[in-house]
């Protein structure tokens, strides 16, 4: 017995250790925006807005509201079946033996005591039913059913209101992403052109065809273009990630390839 207990204890410890070491798979993998190059943003195409709206219906919050609605619907069935409380059934069964002891005394010259015992097996059973109607429940039954139906409607209203708010957030993030994407494409093209121009100016400076002051001005132009690009890129990434969170839809991974 002791060996069996030790073996079971060891198995429980091993199972607990395995459960702690095994990582939980993420429900949704968001895009790695650090792997994108300017060329990837230029070729980026956003999914249609109606697709994002439809995908948002699979958010965990929808499951929460549907679960609450199912609970309220089951409660409605329970309220409708309350009439069964008016009826009560009872039944019982007993089995046993009964013994009767008799003791007699004979009055004679020699006292004699006699004892007789009789017994038999017996069984008892009974079945019955009762019916009662509480007046308050009888008159409030219809009202309780209506109240429960209203709770179901309120749950649906809460889900519809939440979905309307979610759609407004999706629209805001989508329009912001479209705007920032358009600006970013121009900023990316300007940054690439400024970088190329600076490399040409640097080569001319090395060959003595350009002075240091002109090279410095070209470097300043490149720095301004890079800052503008990074600012717009930050705004666009924020809008894209908000879309992914709100809709649970991978946008970057399907539209752009990571830079090598």
């Amino acid at each position: 017995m002791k060996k069996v207990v030790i073996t079971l204890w060891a198995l429980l410890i091993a199972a607990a250790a395995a459960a702690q070491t095994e990582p939980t798979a993420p429900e949704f993998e968001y895009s790695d925006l650090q792997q994108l190059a300017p060329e990837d943003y230029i070729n980026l195409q956003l999914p249609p807005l109606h697709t994002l709206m439809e995908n948002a219906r699979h958010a965990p919050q929808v499951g929460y509201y549907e679960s609450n609605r199912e609970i309220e619907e089951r409660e409605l069935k329970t309220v409708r079946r309350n009439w069964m409380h008016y009826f009560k059934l009872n039944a019982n069964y007993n089995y046993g033996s009964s013994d009767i002891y008799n003791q007699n005394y004979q009055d004679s010259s020699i006292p004699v005591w006699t004892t007789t015992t009789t017994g038999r097996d017996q069984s008892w059973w009974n079945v019955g039913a009762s019916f009662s109607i509480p007046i308050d429940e009888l008159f409030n039954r219809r009202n309780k059913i209506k109240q429960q139906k209203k709770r179901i409607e309120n749950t649906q209203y809460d889900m519809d209101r939440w979905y309307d708010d979610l759609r407004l957030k999706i629209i805001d993030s989508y329009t912001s992403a479209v705007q920032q994407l358009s600006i970013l494409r121009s900023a990316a093209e300007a940054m690439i052109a400024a970088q190329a121009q600076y490399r040409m100016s640097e080569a001319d400076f090395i060959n003595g065809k350009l002075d240091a002051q002109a090279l410095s001005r070209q470097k300043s132009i490149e720095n301004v273009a890079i800052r503008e690009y990074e600012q717009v890129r930050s705004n666009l990434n924020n809008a894209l990630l908000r879309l992914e969170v709100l809709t649970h839809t991978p946008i970057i991974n399907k539209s752009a390839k990571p830079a090598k």
Side-chain angles (χ1 to χ4, degrees):
M1 183 64 182
K2 186 177 181 180
K3 293 183 178 180
V4 175
V5 174
I6 294 175
T7 303
L8 292 175
W9 181 254
L11 291 175
L12 290 175
I13 294 176
Q20 292 179 357
T21 54
E22 291 181 359
T24 303
E27 297 181 358
F28 180 76
E29 184 177 355
Y30 297 99
S31 301
D32 186 5
L33 302 179
Q34 298 298 327
Q35 301 295 325
L36 296 179
E39 294 80 3
D40 297 322
Y41 287 104
I42 294 176
N43 299 322
L44 177 61
Q45 297 294 329
L46 296 177
L49 182 59
H50 66 84
T51 300
L52 298 177
M53 294 286 192
E54 187 63 27
N55 291 346
R57 291 184 178 272
H58 303 288
Q61 192 73 10
V62 176
Y64 169 78
Y65 284 114
E66 290 180 348
S67 177
N68 285 345
R69 183 176 59 187
E70 182 179 355
I71 292 174
E72 297 297 342
E73 289 174 351
R74 290 181 179 272
E75 183 64 23
L76 176 61
K77 292 181 180 179
T78 302
V79 173
R80 284 176 171 172
R81 293 171 182 170
N82 280 345
W83 62 267
M84 300 176 66
H85 296 167
Y86 306 155
F87 298 91
K88 293 183 180 180
L89 300 177
N90 59 81
N92 61 72
Y93 175 80
N94 297 304
Y95 175 80
S97 61
S98 62
D99 296 330
I100 301 175
Y101 295 91
N102 295 316
Q103 192 174 46
N104 299 320
Y105 173 74
Q106 297 180 1
D107 188 7
S108 60
S109 58
I110 300 174
V112 178
W113 291 86
T114 61
T115 302
T116 60
T117 303
T118 60
R120 62 176 180 176
D121 293 337
Q122 293 180 338
S123 62
W124 302 270
W125 61 272
N126 64 73
V127 177
S130 62
F131 176 73
S132 63
I133 302 179
I135 300 300
D136 58 338
E137 292 188 8
L138 179 64
F139 285 97
N140 289 331
R141 171 179 168 80
R142 186 175 182 182
N143 186 39
K144 289 181 178 180
I145 293 177
K146 287 184 177 180
Q147 286 180 349
Q148 191 59 36
K149 287 182 178 180
K150 288 299 181 181
R151 292 190 183 98
I152 297 175
E153 292 178 2
N154 289 339
T155 302
Q156 184 65 41
Y157 291 151
D158 289 340
M159 184 171 67
D160 293 340
R161 182 177 57 185
W162 167 82
Y163 186 61
D164 288 340
D165 293 339
L166 180 62
R167 285 189 295 184
L168 292 177
K169 294 178 181 178
I170 293 174
I171 291 174
D172 290 341
S173 297
Y174 191 86
T175 53
S176 177
V178 171
Q179 180 185 15
Q180 296 299 325
L181 184 60
S182 177
I183 299 174
L184 184 70
R185 286 170 177 167
S186 300
E189 293 174 355
M191 183 187 67
I192 294 173
Q195 289 175 336
Q197 185 62 43
Y198 176 75
R199 287 194 295 269
M200 294 176 59
S201 299
E202 190 177 26
D204 292 341
F205 176 76
I206 294 174
N207 295 328
K209 298 181 180 179
L210 193 68
D211 57 13
Q213 186 177 4
L215 180 64
S216 178
R217 286 196 301 268
Q218 192 60 47
K219 183 62 177 179
S220 298
I221 294 174
E222 182 190 26
N223 291 337
V224 171
I226 293 175
R227 283 196 301 269
E228 292 178 353
Y229 167 80
E230 291 297 336
Q231 181 62 44
V232 179
R233 178 175 178 268
S234 176
N235 296 336
L236 176 60
N237 288 345
N238 180 64
L240 293 177
L241 287 177
R242 284 179 58 86
L243 280 177
E244 290 194 350
V245 172
L246 294 173
T247 65
H248 285 253
T249 304
I251 298 177
I252 301 297
N253 293 339
K254 289 186 177 182
S255 303
K257 298 181 180 179
K260 298 181 180 179

